Amino acid sequence: MKLLCKGVPVKMTRDINKVFSRLKYREPGIIGEREAQHAAVAVPIVHEKGQPSILFQIRSYQLKQQPGDISFPGGKMEADDLTSAETAARELCEETGIKRFNAAHIAPLDKWMTPYGVVIYPHVFSISETSFSPNEEVEELFTVPLHVLMTQKPETYHLSSTADIPEDFPYEKIAGGKNYQFRRTVFPEVFYEYEGKHIWGLTARILQHFLRVVES
């Protein structure tokens, strides 16, 4: 076999050039994104009395996960969903009773790799109806005027978490062994409030991102 300088085989050089070509034209994503769960949510904007408001829902108290929490319509992406916008639109219509032709997709927001191993794709929708019929997953629907949220400074707290090390962890394979200083994760928890209702968690973080985009 003919060799290049320093003994590099010709075939290996050709193969690495193919790799470089593939890297050049691929779209970058997020490491861990493929293995994570994927979900999409709708940020619905309705028009009431001449002003835009955001539609929220209170999750049914009969649900096993986050009963009574305030959230945006949304859910897991299904295998037959072509896009995350399609998922958000489907969940929006199923959970609120809004007709699909009355929910105009405006734009996606930034996707978010959450600390919980879920990638969330938020999408903004303009809603042209104000009569809703929520399904059994929803306890109540309510709206908050956009200007109220934009002028509100949310309360912010910082939560931290540390690694939960299993008993069979191979400390002998890492520098420092059992004395290794694992990094502590710190992430903000924000709270918005409107008429005694408290918006927090993932919903508040998505809301905060949306408001920052609007303000900019």
Side-chain angles (χ1 to χ4, degrees):
M1 178 182 293
K2 184 179 179 181
L3 301 180
L4 298 180
C5 61
K6 296 185 179 180
V8 179
V10 174
K11 183 178 184 302
M12 184 178 297
T13 301
R14 290 173 179 170
D15 288 345
I16 197 62
N17 286 336
K18 290 180 181 179
V19 172
F20 288 163
S21 178
R22 186 177 302 167
L23 290 171
K24 183 177 180 180
Y25 294 105
R26 72 181 293 274
E27 288 292 330
I30 302 173
I31 294 176
E33 183 176 2
R34 289 189 177 184
E35 295 78 17
Q37 294 183 4
H38 295 255
V41 302
V43 181
I45 310 298
V46 300
H47 299 273
E48 299 177 316
K49 300 177 181 179
Q51 67 176 0
S53 299
I54 299 181
L55 178 67
F56 295 93
Q57 61 188 32
I58 299 177
R59 292 169 57 83
S60 170
Y61 293 104
Q62 306 305 316
L63 295 176
K64 293 182 179 180
Q65 295 185 340
Q66 293 89 44
D69 275 2
I70 293 172
S71 69
F72 290 121
K76 293 181 181 179
M77 294 181 63
E78 304 294 343
D80 56 350
D81 288 338
L82 298 177
T83 64
S84 58
E86 182 178 302
T87 302
R90 183 191 67 242
E91 295 291 331
L92 170 65
C93 295
E94 288 179 358
E95 295 177 7
T96 67
I98 293 171
K99 298 178 179 62
R100 181 64 185 90
F101 56 80
N102 287 329
H105 181 252
I106 302 301
L109 296 172
D110 293 350
K111 62 182 178 181
W112 181 22
M113 182 73 177
T114 72
Y116 313 107
V118 180
V119 180
I120 297 181
Y121 301 81
H123 291 267
V124 179
F125 288 82
S126 178
I127 310 303
S128 59
E129 68 174 284
T130 56
S131 58
F132 311 120
S133 54
N135 68 5
E136 67 281 356
E137 298 179 16
V138 180
E139 192 75 23
E140 177 187 343
L141 294 169
F142 68 96
T143 58
V144 183
L146 182 57
H147 73 86
V148 171
L149 293 167
M150 292 184 66
T151 55
Q152 183 176 151
K153 183 178 180 180
E155 296 180 15
T156 303
Y157 302 87
H158 292 88
L159 306 183
S160 64
S161 63
T162 55
D164 185 10
I165 311 297
E167 293 183 0
D168 60 348
F169 185 80
Y171 287 103
E172 68 279 4
K173 296 181 180 181
I174 62 175
K178 291 187 176 182
N179 295 321
Y180 185 85
Q181 297 296 312
F182 287 91
R183 183 174 298 181
R184 186 180 65 166
T185 301
V186 178
F187 55 94
E189 194 71 77
V190 298
F191 288 79
Y192 290 86
E193 189 273 336
Y194 180 70
E195 295 185 345
K197 295 182 173 68
H198 299 279
I199 303 164
W200 71 291
L202 302 181
T203 301
R205 292 293 303 280
I206 294 171
L207 173 61
Q208 184 180 53
H209 166 58
F210 168 73
L211 295 175
R212 286 173 174 172
V213 171
V214 171
E215 290 170 351
S216 64

